[in-house]
Amino acid sequence: MIAADGELSVRRQPVGGPVVQVAERPPGWLRGAHRVILLVHGYNNSQCEACTAFRQFLDHLPYGLGRVGRFFWPGDADFGFFQWLDFLSYPTEIPDAKSSARRLAEFLSAISRTHPVTEFVLVGHSLGCRLILEMLGLFAAGTVAPSPNIALIQLMAAAVPVELVRKRRPLRRAGNVARERVVLYSPHDLVLRGAFPSGQALARAMGHEPEVYLEAVGLNGNPPDFPTQRPWQAFGNGHGDYWRDTEIADNFARRLGVAVPRRSSDRYLPERVAVLPRVTPERTRPSRSLAGGNWSVCGGCS
């Protein structure tokens, strides 16, 4: 069990709101680190809901992975009394994901100018995976430079159109910015199976997408040649199950060179949990806990 070392946020308010400049809390928390792991939540998560999801993942991670941070972006909407309708905002959150990606790209690029040896590992969920790839696309195109050292991206239940990561498509080139790509998917994800196609069709009708995209990467792991290794099927996982999945946390730690006990219920094939050789183990001290401090804007959720 570890705690976050810090956070980056482009939120102005806990629910809904516009995309703003990156706020770093506490200031300087990721500078001088050998490795920074950044967690990116998905669509329809308020600040506190994202905190809860991140906490579930951190509770299962061992020490020694590197400095861990949370990235917050306004991927939800404030419907006031009708907040239960916030899922309808999906088409309008795609532009917010792209705007947030640009803000984060500019911030990480600035960090890389003064700390080029820092290694970044990005873990995204749902529409947060689209955000990560849109950010890497800015580096791939040279729109934002220099590019930071991206060692690994882990995409969980990715609400990313399959067509955009096929060969010679823009987000495929974006994924190539990272040395390693991991895709976790589940055919049992009813959100990606049922809601994603209609949400994408509406996004096309509203002018937020150039085409109608019907299949998400996180549903069947397509295209199979997009991950660096074979995609992992998270057997039985629904859309909201990834952050709290202990086996996903264990396999993530193994990929970063940190040993964890193998659980008897491991659902993944042996070749899917191999440590990736090009991601070097963290050489600094274990992540320190700052959860008791006052740097988090989320108060009790820290």
Side-chain angles (χ1 to χ4, degrees):
M1 179 185 299
I2 63 176
D5 292 282
E7 65 191 34
L8 303 176
S9 178
V10 292
R11 299 195 74 122
R12 175 177 291 174
Q13 57 203 53
V15 179
V19 176
V20 298
Q21 293 288 347
V22 175
E24 181 187 12
R25 307 182 184 96
W29 69 267
L30 48 63
R31 289 165 176 78
H34 170 66
R35 175 188 293 146
V36 172
I37 300 168
L38 200 58
L39 311 180
V40 183
H41 65 83
Y43 154 72
N44 201 21
N45 280 183
S46 67
Q47 174 99 9
C48 284
E49 288 169 340
C51 279
T52 299
F54 292 151
R55 179 71 270 158
Q56 292 171 336
F57 191 59
L58 295 173
D59 280 348
H60 299 300
L61 293 182
Y63 287 99
L65 296 175
R67 294 187 194 173
V68 180
R70 310 176 297 183
F71 179 69
F72 298 102
W73 62 286
D76 59 334
D78 188 354
F79 281 80
F81 180 77
F82 299 98
Q83 193 62 31
W84 58 277
L85 293 172
D86 57 1
F87 69 95
L88 296 175
S89 70
Y90 173 82
T92 64
E93 304 308 336
I94 295 174
D96 284 344
K98 294 180 179 180
S99 297
S100 300
R102 177 173 288 274
R103 299 290 193 191
L104 182 58
E106 292 168 348
F107 181 86
L108 296 185
S109 180
I111 292 294
S112 71
R113 293 190 189 98
T114 55
H115 300 83
V117 300
T118 299
E119 177 179 274
F120 287 94
V121 173
L122 307 175
V123 181
H125 175 255
S126 187
L127 194 57
C129 300
R130 176 77 179 266
L131 190 157
I132 288 173
L133 291 175
E134 293 286 351
M135 178 189 71
L136 297 185
L138 296 173
F139 297 136
T143 306
V144 177
S147 172
N149 178 14
I150 309 294
L152 170 69
I153 58 172
Q154 177 163 299
L155 309 179
M156 306 185 301
V160 175
V162 169
E163 290 302 317
L164 293 184
V165 295
R166 293 194 186 279
K167 290 181 179 179
R168 294 181 292 279
R169 296 303 297 269
L171 295 189
R172 178 58 165 261
R173 295 190 293 271
N176 291 338
V177 172
R179 297 202 303 271
E180 307 290 345
R181 301 179 301 275
V182 177
V183 172
L184 281 73
Y185 71 98
S186 172
H188 298 86
D189 189 330
L190 299 183
V191 171
L192 295 184
R193 182 175 296 281
F196 179 83
S198 57
Q200 286 294 140
L202 185 56
R204 173 65 183 91
M206 297 174 66
H208 298 317
E209 294 280 37
E211 304 173 34
V212 176
Y213 303 117
L214 299 179
E215 183 181 352
V217 171
L219 182 61
N220 298 305
N222 292 324
D225 61 346
F226 177 63
T228 302
Q229 296 181 341
R230 293 173 60 188
W232 301 355
Q233 181 174 165
F235 294 97
N237 273 13
H239 196 65
D241 294 335
Y242 287 77
W243 289 117
R244 60 175 174 262
D245 190 317
T246 57
E247 294 173 22
I248 288 176
D250 288 350
N251 290 332
F252 176 72
R254 293 187 188 109
R255 282 188 170 271
L256 297 186
V258 176
V260 294
R262 184 176 296 277
R263 303 173 189 271
S264 59
S265 60
D266 195 306
R267 297 172 298 177
Y268 301 111
L269 297 177
E271 67 268 23
R272 297 184 184 180
V273 299
V275 175
L276 298 180
R278 286 184 287 175
V279 181
T280 54
E282 169 66 31
R283 296 187 178 89
T284 59
R285 292 177 296 175
S287 299
R288 60 193 184 282
S289 172
L290 299 180
N294 59 1
W295 54 269
S296 175
V297 297
C298 206
C301 294
S302 63

